[in-house]
Amino acid sequence: MNSLEQAEDLKAFERRLTEYVSCLQPATGRWRMILIVVSVCTATGAWNWLIDPDTQKVSFFSSLWNHPFFTISCVTLIGLFFAGIHKRVVAPSILSETTRSLLNHLLQYCSSLPDSTSRI
């Protein structure tokens, strides 16, 4: 394979990778928005739960029962993390970093080959 064919293969690979990452962006944006909204709701509910003077006077479960907004927000946030929202939010950067690492290893391997025609 000559260097022109290798360059074309690399360009095609880069175009395909860029296309795939750009297809992930809308879904990633939606997951980020969901995570932000649920996090803000949980923080707001936690603030209201903590400043309530009755929270110190009743049992833990009674205080949670008295603050359903915080309880539902917190359960939803925990459920989202168990469902893997943290992976969905950072999926494009994980893909880019993994690809960059693999290509660096490939470049190091190809550079160490004695035959100059097999280099990228």
Side-chain angles (χ1 to χ4, degrees):
M1 189 182 263
N2 65 24
S3 62
L4 183 61
E5 290 173 346
Q6 289 175 347
E8 289 298 318
D9 285 346
L10 284 174
K11 287 179 185 178
F13 176 74
E14 182 182 7
R15 280 192 303 271
R16 180 65 183 133
L17 184 61
T18 304
E19 176 185 321
Y20 185 73
V21 169
S22 66
C23 288
L24 286 176
Q25 291 299 333
T28 301
R30 284 190 296 270
W31 284 115
R32 284 182 182 156
M33 190 58 62
I34 290 170
L35 182 61
I36 289 169
V37 168
V38 173
S39 297
V40 168
C41 289
T42 303
T44 304
W47 176 255
N48 290 330
W49 180 58
L50 291 173
I51 65 169
D52 185 11
D54 292 336
T55 300
Q56 297 175 358
K57 298 174 185 171
V58 295
S59 70
F60 176 70
F61 291 109
S62 296
S63 68
L64 288 177
W65 185 258
N66 292 336
H67 296 88
F69 181 72
F70 169 67
T71 306
I72 292 170
S73 298
C74 192
V75 168
T76 303
L77 185 63
I78 291 168
L80 286 171
F81 276 103
F82 278 127
I85 194 169
H86 56 288
K87 292 178 184 175
R88 290 181 176 104
V89 166
V90 295
S93 60
I94 291 172
L95 179 67
S96 298
E97 185 61 35
T98 303
T99 304
R100 187 177 299 117
S101 174
L102 288 172
L103 289 175
N104 282 336
H105 289 301
L106 177 65
L107 182 62
Q108 288 174 358
Y109 172 75
C110 291
S111 296
S112 68
L113 292 176
D115 184 15
S116 63
T117 60
S118 62
R119 291 187 184 169
I120 294 178

